[in-house]
Amino acid sequence: AAFIYNAYDALEADLATGEGQYLDSLTALAGVKQKEKTTFVEGVRQRFANSVAATDYTEQTRFTKAENLYNILHREMENRG
């Protein structure tokens, strides 16, 4: 959770492109296997896009944005079971 909060801006940029150092670190910290990474990142990106599209996104605090991303990751991990 601390990594997401501290690196939120870089993670947001990496999620926009679907690749990057911070996204690689996040998937590694989450224990995502290399063979599952593409599918996992696609799922996270889709959920994250919905979060960013929320009308109040720009008004949210960094903490709230980081918490939402944490919850997105958690849900995506549950889906891959």
Side-chain angles (χ1 to χ4, degrees), residues 1-8 11 26 62 66-67 69-70 73:
F3 175 76
I4 293 171
Y5 179 81
N6 291 325
Y8 186 82
L11 285 167
L26 184 63
R62 180 185 190 96
E67 181 180 39
L69 179 52
Y70 176 86
L73 289 168

Side-chain angles (χ1 to χ4, degrees), residues 18-35:
E19 59 185 30
Q21 175 184 352
Y22 288 89
L23 188 54
D24 289 345
S25 296
L26 184 63
T27 57
L29 287 169
V32 177
K33 294 181 169 102
Q34 191 63 33
K35 66 181 181 177

Side-chain angles (χ1 to χ4, degrees), residues 15 43-54 72:
L15 283 165
V44 171
R45 287 184 76 207
Q46 184 176 33
R47 291 174 190 265
F48 187 69
N50 291 337
S51 176
V52 171
I72 288 168

Side-chain angles (χ1 to χ4, degrees), residues 53-77:
T55 55
D56 68 340
Y57 179 78
T58 57
E59 299 169 13
Q60 293 175 6
T61 65
R62 180 185 190 96
F63 179 84
T64 299
K65 291 176 182 178
E67 181 180 39
N68 288 340
L69 179 52
Y70 176 86
N71 290 333
I72 288 168
L73 289 168
H74 184 72
R75 283 191 296 272
E76 195 61 34
M77 290 175 72

